[in-house]
Structures are given as structure tokens and as C-alpha cells.
Amino acid sequence: GAVVSQHPSWVICKSGTSVKIECRSLDFQATTMFWYRQFPKQSLMLMATSNEGSKATYEQGVEKDKFLINHASLTLSTLTVTSAHPEDSSFYICSAPTQGNQPQHFGDGTRLSIL
Amino acid sequence: GEDVEQSLFLSVREGDSSVINCTYTDSSSTYLYWYKQEPGAGLQLLTYIFSNMDMKQDQRLTVLLNKKDKHLSLRIADTQTGDSAIYFCAESLTGGGNKLTFGTGTQLKVEL
């Protein structure tokens, strides 16, 4: 069964809206979670590393004020796309390693469509 | 930086074997993974291999690693229509706690 739960699975909203996406680890604690973005027919690109109890680490070119990450507990990380615009429309996926250096398991992704 | 390349498309007949190839540039890569993505879904971990291994077999899946050539392959035996998906290889320097660099993805189409 799923070890990482992501919610919502699909969001459609108007331009200018802020959207929050949740990523939860099920039955394990995740001090680190990762947020990826995937455009159609493309690979996954890491956006940021979410660290429990400290600031997220953003990849080059990713606006930290645009994509707010909060890792408030050992089982939950949230990604908020602030003032979303059509170019933010994408598939957002989170992941977490179950333990130490164990492989990352991925959520089912959130399809974000901004009108 | 790291660069991971895959061929974009592979078509096979049901029952045949599929071989999906991946090349990477970072010789420091320690862990190499194969993920499967079905349309509109997240990624499913298929298998992974440590850089000190040459081969790993898991049921219908065989992973081969040529560290000298920085080449990774995934062989799917007796390919089924349910295997149709996009397959991503990924590499990490220190394992799951470190970020993954994904390949470009290979779309596998299984025909009857």
C-alpha cells in the first residue's frame, strides 16, 4: 500500500489563488521530504528539499516566496503555491525516504491547473 | 552537474523482453533507481542497485550496472500490457535521504 499520501490529487482554480498541497508520510516519520514538479511529457525536476524543523532548501531558479514549504511535523510537509498563474500549472509530486538511506517513495501527485 | 539520459520510446510485443537503457555522468553516484509512472499517477519504485553491484534480479526485473561506462539497464522479462508506462532511472549520491536526479524517461509501449 501507499506509504506517502498526497492531497489533493487535482486542483483547478483561478489565477491569483494560493493553493496548498499536503504530503504525509504514513506509518513512518520523515525528517526530509522532497518536492518535484513535472511538466507534460517531461521528467521530474526537484524544486526543494523540505526539512522538519528548519527552512527548506530550494533548487536554483525556484522562487522561495512563490513556493512556500512548511515541514511542521515529522509526518507532514506542505507546499503552497502563492498567487498561482497559468504558468504554474503542472504536476507536483512529493517523496520521502522511509528510513535513512532507504529509497524514496512517492505520493500520487497533485495536478494543478490554473485558469 | 549530474546528467541522466534515456531513450524516449520503446515498443515491444507482449511476451518479449524489454530493455530500457540509461546513462549517467556523475561517477560519484552511489545509488541508482528505476521508477515506473503510469498516466496521471505518481512514481512507483521498481528496484534499485548500489554502485558496488553489477546486477540485481527481482522476479521479472533484472538491473545491470556498468559503472565503468556509467550505464544502467532494466530488463523486463515476459513483458505484459500492464507494463506499458514511462520508466525513469534516477541517481543519488548518498541514497534515499539525498535528492534524486531523474533521467528523461522512456515510454514503453507493449503491443499485442
Side-chain angles (χ1 to χ4, degrees), chain A residues 59-92:
Chain A
E59 295 299 300
Q60 191 172 7
V62 178
E63 300 175 58
K64 63 176 79 173
D65 295 330
K66 173 78 171 175
F67 300 98
L68 300 179
I69 291 173
N70 184 18
H71 197 144
S73 77
L74 286 170
T75 59
L76 173 65
S77 174
T78 60
L79 168 68
T80 301
V81 184
T82 62
S83 186
H85 288 91
E87 59 267 28
D88 299 321
S89 297
S90 187
F91 193 55
Y92 293 86

Side-chain angles (χ1 to χ4, degrees), chain B:
Chain B
E2 305 95 348
D3 192 19
V4 185
E5 297 287 337
Q6 298 176 241
S7 52
L8 292 179
F9 186 79
L10 175 65
S11 179
V12 299
R13 290 195 175 183
E14 189 176 42
D16 289 348
S17 292
S18 307
V19 179
I20 302 171
N21 295 301
C22 172
T23 58
Y24 59 98
T25 57
D26 194 336
S27 58
S28 301
S29 299
T30 305
Y31 295 75
L32 296 132
Y33 308 87
W34 283 103
Y35 285 90
K36 175 184 180 182
Q37 185 179 35
E38 298 188 31
L43 271 69
Q44 174 193 353
L45 176 67
L46 292 177
T47 186
Y48 63 99
I49 190 169
F50 300 130
S51 61
N52 62 357
M53 299 169 65
D54 298 323
M55 186 187 83
K56 181 178 181 181
Q57 186 162 0
D58 185 1
Q59 299 182 334
R60 292 192 297 126
L61 305 179
T62 302
V63 179
L64 295 178
L65 175 61
N66 182 330
K67 196 174 180 183
K68 175 176 173 290
D69 294 338
K70 301 190 191 69
H71 183 265
L72 181 75
S73 68
L74 174 69
R75 179 178 180 269
I76 305 173
D78 187 25
T79 312
Q80 302 297 307
T81 54
D83 295 324
S84 294
I86 299 177
Y87 290 79
F88 291 97
C89 65
E91 60 91 19
S92 172
L93 294 181
T94 60
N98 199 285
K99 67 179 183 180
L100 295 175
T101 299
F102 282 88
T104 46
T106 299
Q107 182 166 358
L108 173 65
K109 182 179 180 182
V110 182
E111 299 176 325
L112 296 173

